[in-house]
Amino acid sequence: MLAPRILKKLEEMLDKEKVVSDWETRLTYAYDAQVEESIPSAVVFPQNEEEIANVMRLAYEEEFYIVPRGAGTGLSGGSVPLKNALVLSLEKMNQIVEINEEDLYAVVQAGVITLELQNAVEKKGLFYPPDPASAKVSTLGGNIAENAGGLRGFKYGVTRDYVLSMKAISPSGEFLMLGAKTIKSVSGYDLPSLFCGSEGTLGIVCEATLKLLPLPEAWSAMLLIFPTLDKASEAVSLIIAEGIVPSSLEIMDNFTINAVEDYKRLGLPRDAGAIVLIEVDGYRESVEREMGKIEALLPKMGAKEVRRAREQSERENIWEGRRSALAALARISPTTLLEDVTVPRSRLSKMVREIEKIARKHNLLIGTFGHAGDGNLHPTFLTDWRNEEERERVKVAIEELFSAAVELGGTLSGEHGIGLVKAPFLPREFNQATIEVMKAIKRALDPKGLLNPGKIFPS
Ligand SMILES: Cc1cc2nc3c(=O)[nH]c(=O)nc-3n(C[C@H](O)[C@H](O)[C@H](O)COP(=O)(O)OP(=O)(O)OC[C@H]3O[C@@H](n4cnc5c(N)ncnc54)[C@H](O)[C@@H]3O)c2cc1C
């Protein structure tokens, strides 16, 4: 717990109702979606940059830990308040400040929900492409801090590709202006990129200027049904090798299809070995041409069946199925551990085979789905952490999974971050000299090590 005099100071600098330390609230803010637990000392809800800076200055003077938090949908334990930290919630910083239709950008506070920005710009004929499957809940600040990817990564990239500039507060309470509102800027180091994916360890993102695109004129979605996951992943590589650039290119195995069907009853093919979900967007003529190219590849791909969405409701069904994958799997067992390995796209089917081998070897339930077009898979372990014997098997299996990804030239995390749960494995991917560079950056910005302790680096 924070000393009562510090709580009092916080109540004096923010309004009293913005400082909460009752047990229920602290318990609520003890988790993220990976369900790691650590109880915070209290939770504060600042409403503007000055309030955030004041809290940070107090933390720096009094030397207590701070953990920034958006919506808590993170999947690597990033917003879990280790060391009894004070949680600084951005959820009241939820204003869309400006949508600039001339210069194609939006200025948003960090706590704006991703989908709210997507909807607001769409009404003006504009498009904010980053689309994590959690978009209905996640915040843009959390997306920036995790450099979130999502369903449109293949064509449109990740959050970092849309951050032009941001306002942030340093761990000692200084105001930082990172980047510029212009489409180009090479004035000094690329600090917006450094903050993207920094997992709340370098500073608090308060406001961001995000690049927008014109809304694509047309779309077309289809679902391809395959006899095996292997065939489905080979089909993904074929599509990519053909030079086709769908906006979404997703995959789901038989286990996940059935979990989604049990949960949502969307009419997905229960007997398919795997499905590939595709969306193409752009000008009407180019959409038809790209869809035609995919259809021409079908005999070579070995798809059993093709379903093309003709109506908006059919399109929504396809994506609702994909977005619910994690929630559907999470209903099956007491513990759900979602991984995030990413390999070069050409190695996707090799990675899929490794996952299947690991599941068989350790006799474990793994549902696999993910952003196949990005080489990013989410093998999801369905287990019961209370069963010690099974827990040990899962731990070994996860280590083997990481080793397989790195050996295939891949990475531990494509989009969910290292956070707490993958910190011990960082040296698998980087040598010590590289990790020391990252630590030096952390020390330069946070010399007292008070911001989001215990994340990214192995302890
Ligand atoms: C069902 C489901 C589907 C998902 N799908 C995807 C997906 O498709 N793609 C993907 O990339 N992720 C996905 N995620 C993971 C998660 O939604 C993203 O990582 C998201 O960006 C987290 O946003 P948040 O607001 O919930 O952040 P939180 O979980 O609250 O925080 C995440 C990290 O960011 C830091 N942080 C939060 N706000 C700030 C801020 N303003 N300043 C500094 N640091 C901050 C926190 O300290 C923490 O380290 C999914 C999660 C779920 C539960």
Side-chain angles (χ1 to χ4, degrees):
M1 278 294 287
L2 279 178
R5 80 185 164 76
I6 295 181
L7 271 178
K8 197 158 171 275
K9 276 192 187 175
L10 284 167
E11 285 172 359
E12 280 162 11
M13 60 177 52
L14 308 169
D15 291 337
K16 217 172 169 183
E17 72 272 13
K18 292 183 194 160
V19 183
V20 187
S21 57
D22 64 84
W23 172 249
E24 285 78 10
T25 307
R26 286 164 58 216
L27 190 60
T28 307
Y29 286 80
Y31 303 91
D32 72 353
Q34 186 73 7
V35 200
E36 295 288 324
E37 179 195 309
S38 183
I39 307 288
S41 54
V43 186
V44 291
F45 298 90
Q47 238 169 338
N48 56 51
E49 287 148 27
E50 284 69 29
E51 289 182 345
I52 294 177
N54 287 339
V55 174
M56 298 307 282
R57 273 184 221 121
L58 183 67
Y60 199 71
E61 276 161 33
E62 298 282 354
E63 303 200 347
F64 58 87
Y65 296 106
I66 297 258
V67 173
R69 181 182 172 104
T73 66
L75 287 166
S76 56
S79 59
V80 173
L82 296 184
K83 300 194 184 220
N84 212 221
L86 175 79
V87 168
L88 189 151
S89 167
L90 278 299
E91 63 200 88
K92 290 201 191 302
M93 304 264 298
N94 56 5
Q95 299 303 308
I96 297 177
V97 180
E98 181 189 358
I99 296 175
N100 191 313
E101 295 172 73
E102 233 179 0
D103 286 323
L104 297 186
Y105 65 69
V107 180
V108 295
Q109 289 189 319
V112 170
I113 306 290
T114 314
L115 183 68
E116 282 176 14
L117 176 68
Q118 289 172 342
N119 288 341
V121 301
E122 209 172 303
K123 281 188 194 135
K124 295 180 183 287
L126 298 172
F127 184 36
Y128 178 67
D131 189 30
S134 52
K136 275 185 196 167
V137 186
S138 71
T139 66
L140 291 161
N143 293 170
I144 292 169
E146 294 291 356
N147 191 17
L151 274 67
R152 302 191 190 115
F154 182 64
K155 179 170 178 180
Y156 291 105
V158 295
T159 302
R160 180 196 289 132
D161 301 313
Y162 295 86
V163 179
L164 296 174
S165 69
M166 58 180 105
K167 286 186 189 168
I169 306 289
S170 78
S172 55
E174 305 287 334
F175 285 81
L176 306 176
M177 307 291 298
L178 317 176
K181 280 186 176 156
T182 49
I183 207 75
K184 296 163 81 175
S185 167
V186 286
S187 301
Y189 291 134
D190 185 359
L191 296 180
S193 285
L194 177 64
F195 267 58
C196 283
S198 64
E199 303 189 33
T201 62
L202 300 182
I204 312 287
V205 178
C206 304
E207 189 181 284
T209 301
L210 303 171
K211 186 169 82 173
L212 304 174
L213 301 179
L215 191 65
E217 180 185 282
W219 56 264
S220 186
M222 66 161 58
L223 186 154
L224 307 184
I225 300 172
F226 290 92
T228 62
L229 184 58
D230 209 28
K231 275 260 165 256
S233 53
E234 279 169 11
V236 168
S237 302
L238 267 176
I239 293 171
I240 296 171
E242 201 62 23
I244 303 165
V245 189
S247 50
S248 301
L249 188 46
E250 300 282 314
I251 203 166
M252 223 190 253
D253 72 357
N254 172 273
F255 192 82
T256 311
I257 294 168
N258 278 286
V260 171
E261 268 309 285
D262 291 343
Y263 180 37
K264 292 269 168 171
R265 309 222 184 282
L266 297 167
L268 296 180
R270 282 186 180 274
D271 59 345
I275 52 178
V276 171
L277 315 161
I278 305 176
E279 183 158 312
V280 170
D281 68 6
Y283 291 112
R284 222 168 289 286
E285 305 75 35
S286 66
V287 165
E288 276 315 310
R289 234 182 114 203
E290 288 209 292
M291 279 315 230
K293 275 172 121 182
I294 296 172
E295 279 164 351
L297 275 181
L298 290 173
K300 208 164 157 192
M301 285 182 200
K304 284 204 310 187
E305 195 189 324
V306 181
R307 295 182 190 171
R308 192 161 167 183
R310 300 279 165 198
E311 305 291 333
Q312 176 67 11
S313 60
E314 289 170 337
R315 177 197 190 198
E316 278 163 14
N317 252 11
I318 290 181
W319 298 116
E320 176 65 12
R322 168 60 188 85
R323 284 178 196 284
S324 350
L326 174 56
L329 289 169
R331 295 163 75 235
I332 292 172
S333 58
T335 313
T336 311
L337 297 172
L338 176 124
E339 290 307 336
D340 181 32
V341 286
T342 305
V343 291
R345 293 149 177 178
S346 59
R347 312 250 165 110
L348 189 73
S349 43
K350 283 202 175 114
M351 191 66 227
V352 159
R353 272 175 232 140
E354 288 297 329
I355 296 168
E356 290 179 330
K357 203 163 89 188
I358 290 168
R360 273 196 307 276
K361 178 174 164 194
H362 298 285
N363 190 23
L364 292 169
L365 272 185
I366 305 180
T368 298
F369 63 96
H371 314 296
D374 304 338
N376 183 190
L377 293 170
H378 296 317
T380 304
F381 291 75
L382 303 171
T383 177
D384 184 350
W385 221 228
R386 295 165 303 186
N387 176 340
E388 240 175 82
E389 185 273 328
E390 187 167 295
R391 188 166 69 207
E392 289 315 307
R393 271 188 287 135
V394 173
K395 281 186 184 168
V396 176
I398 288 180
E399 290 216 15
E400 288 179 8
L401 183 77
F402 291 159
S403 298
V406 173
E407 273 160 32
L408 287 170
T411 174
L412 298 177
S413 175
E415 53 180 23
H416 297 161
I418 296 297
L420 172 60
V421 294
K422 292 201 185 81
F425 302 102
L426 198 67
R428 286 274 164 103
E429 193 171 334
F430 299 114
N431 67 2
Q432 197 51 36
T434 310
I435 294 176
E436 287 307 323
V437 170
M438 294 189 199
K439 284 185 167 173
I441 293 171
K442 166 74 175 163
R443 276 195 301 275
L445 276 127
D446 183 15
K448 294 188 177 178
L450 297 172
L451 191 59
N452 211 354
K455 309 297 164 64
I456 301 181
F457 303 109
S459 55

